[in-house]
Amino acid sequence: MAELTVSVVSLEHPEWEGPASQIVIKTLEGEMGVLPGHEPVLATLAGGPIRIDPIDGDPMFFAVHGGFFSLDENRAIIFVVLWGQKCHIFCHVPSAHAPVSSCVSLYFYK
């Protein structure tokens, strides 16, 4: 099965790295889903949540203030400015396949 190799990097340090089945990001042009085999992309991130579906485990969400997204040959690098100090976002969604914009509750921790 094809997979994405994903790195989420903030100004301070790497936040997460690993294999994923899909990524959902919010760009200045709108929300975009990325699956393995997607054409190369370079995009500016808008503020909001980023969703990463790891190969093993539950979906993860990062609250970002902005940044850049790069994808080439199933290698995704997400350079982010996180909201707050090392703030991650946990989002309860009605379905594992729901879009990021359908988040009903956002919980932040430091």
Side-chain angles (χ1 to χ4, degrees), residues 34-107:
V34 178
L35 297 171
H38 196 287
E39 65 184 34
V41 174
L42 181 59
T44 302
L45 297 175
I50 290 176
R51 174 186 172 146
I52 299 172
D53 290 352
I55 295 296
D56 296 320
D58 294 328
M60 297 183 314
F61 296 84
F62 293 90
V64 302
H65 186 261
F68 297 96
F69 174 79
S70 170
L71 175 73
D72 193 21
E73 297 183 2
N74 289 332
R75 173 79 172 122
I77 302 174
I78 308 171
F79 299 98
V80 298
V81 176
L82 295 176
W83 273 330
Q85 295 289 321
K86 301 178 187 172
C87 225
H88 294 239
I89 187 170
F90 289 90
C91 181
H92 294 281
V93 292
S95 161
H97 300 291
V100 170
S101 59
S102 70
C103 294
V104 263
S105 301
L106 304 178
Y107 298 96

Side-chain angles (χ1 to χ4, degrees), residues 9-38:
V9 182
S10 71
L11 295 173
E12 296 175 353
H13 55 77
E15 297 291 331
W16 184 81
E17 187 166 25
S21 60
Q22 78 169 347
I23 305 167
V24 180
I25 59 172
K26 188 174 183 182
T27 71
L28 296 179
E29 290 78 32
E31 196 171 83
M32 178 171 62
V34 178
L35 297 171
H38 196 287

